[in-house]
């Protein structure tokens, strides 16, 4: 069975918002089809261990943080000193642009995927100041990051189209948020619409 190493600094099991739910669905899918190991750029406490046990994900979790890491170079070094059974894989998925520096920790010639989640630089175009504040990359910086990976995963078709203009369609994969439809009886007419969501700025901006 092919092996995948998923590298992330997001503790998806703690904050179950939409993005984190997608992470867990992706991990569950990969675990069913590949030998999956999760390298967490952090450390686990008792709360983490309990939450992960309840999820029953079929994967190896390796928390490589020691608490002394202060730079990207520290994390790269931490990964590279791990045992081969932790760091070696047929392919690597790195979650989010904020962890993209970990591509420098991987063996030369590795098959690498960046799960982009969002096109960070595009938030600069938003009308909402809170959304613009999340844009920690310029478009040029984001294109440079994307170009370093074998393929980039996008969660929306329009973002995939834009990323394709940057690095080529053959290098872009679309993996949308999972949808689990449920059957409900039709409702009568309503004048008010309620929305339940996290306080993530794009959610608030979209509602307005």
């Amino acid at each position: 069975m092919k092996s995948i190493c998923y590298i992330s600094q997001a503790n998806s099991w703690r904050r179950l918002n939409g993005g984190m739910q997608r992470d867990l669905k992706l991990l569950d899918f990969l675990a069913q089809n590949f030998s999956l190991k999760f390298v967490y750029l952090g450390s686990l406490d008792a709360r983490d261990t309990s939450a992960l046990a309840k999820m029953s994900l079929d994967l190896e979790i390796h928390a490589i943080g020691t608490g002394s890491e202060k730079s990207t170079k520290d994390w790269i070094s931490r990964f590279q000193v791990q045992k081969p059974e932790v760091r070696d894989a047929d392919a690597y998925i790195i979650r989010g642009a904020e962890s993209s520096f970990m591509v420098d920790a991987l063996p030369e010639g590795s098959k690498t995927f960046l799960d982009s989640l969002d096109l960070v630089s595009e938030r600069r175009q938003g009308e909402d100041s809170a959304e613009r504040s999340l844009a920690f990359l310029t478009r040029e910086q984001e294109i440079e990051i994307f170009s370093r990976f074998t393929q980039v995963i996008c969660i929306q078709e329009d973002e995939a189209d834009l990323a394709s203009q940057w690095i080529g369609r053959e290098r872009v994969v679309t993996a949308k948020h999972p949808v689990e439809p449920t059957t409900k009886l039709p409702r009568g007419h309503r004048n008010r619409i309620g929305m339940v969501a996290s306080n993530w700025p794009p959610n608030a901006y979209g509602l307005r």
Side-chain angles (χ1 to χ4, degrees), residues 157-188:
E157 291 291 355
D158 57 342
E159 292 191 344
D161 289 341
L162 183 55
S164 296
Q165 296 176 27
W166 297 351
I167 61 173
R169 186 72 212 184
E170 70 284 355
R171 295 176 61 190
V172 178
V173 177
T174 305
K176 299 179 181 180
H177 279 278
V179 177
E180 297 180 351
T182 56
T183 302
K184 295 183 179 180
L185 293 174
R187 297 186 298 180

Side-chain angles (χ1 to χ4, degrees), residues 187 192-208:
R187 297 186 298 180
R192 297 180 178 179
I193 298 175
M195 176 179 176
V196 178
S198 69
N199 60 353
W200 185 241
N203 288 342
Y205 176 59
L207 183 60
R208 289 200 296 272

Side-chain angles (χ1 to χ4, degrees), residues 41-194:
L41 305 182
S43 56
L44 302 178
D45 58 21
R47 181 177 59 163
D48 295 319
T49 303
S50 175
L52 286 164
K54 292 176 182 177
M55 292 177 181
S56 301
L57 293 171
D58 185 17
L59 52 79
E60 305 170 27
I61 299 178
H62 306 277
I64 65 173
T66 64
S68 63
E69 296 81 14
K70 300 186 184 301
S71 68
T72 58
K73 289 183 178 180
D74 290 339
W75 284 114
I76 290 171
S77 297
R78 281 294 301 154
F79 181 85
Q80 291 177 331
V81 299
Q82 299 301 306
K83 296 178 180 179
E85 54 265 32
V86 174
R87 55 182 167 79
D88 290 351
D90 294 306
Y92 298 84
I93 298 175
I94 295 178
R95 181 198 185 277
E98 67 275 11
S99 297
S100 61
F101 64 89
M102 287 298 293
V103 73
D104 289 327
L106 307 180
E108 186 175 353
S110 295
K111 190 173 183 63
T112 57
F113 295 80
L114 175 66
D115 192 5
S116 66
L117 305 175
D118 293 298
L119 298 190
V120 177
S121 61
E122 289 308 291
R123 295 177 183 148
R124 290 175 177 264
Q125 313 304 317
E127 298 178 10
D128 183 70
S129 59
E131 183 177 17
R132 289 197 301 271
S133 70
L134 298 171
F136 57 88
L137 293 172
T138 65
R139 176 174 288 193
E140 291 72 23
Q141 290 171 326
E142 194 157 32
I143 293 174
E144 172 62 24
I145 288 172
F146 281 18
S147 68
R148 303 193 64 201
F149 286 81
T150 308
Q151 290 188 294
V152 172
I153 304 171
C154 293
I155 65 172
Q156 299 182 60
E157 291 291 355
D158 57 342
E159 292 191 344
D161 289 341
L162 183 55
S164 296
Q165 296 176 27
W166 297 351
I167 61 173
R169 186 72 212 184
E170 70 284 355
R171 295 176 61 190
V172 178
V173 177
T174 305
K176 299 179 181 180
H177 279 278
V179 177
E180 297 180 351
T182 56
T183 302
K184 295 183 179 180
L185 293 174
R187 297 186 298 180
H189 180 72
R190 293 292 183 270
N191 293 321
R192 297 180 178 179
I193 298 175

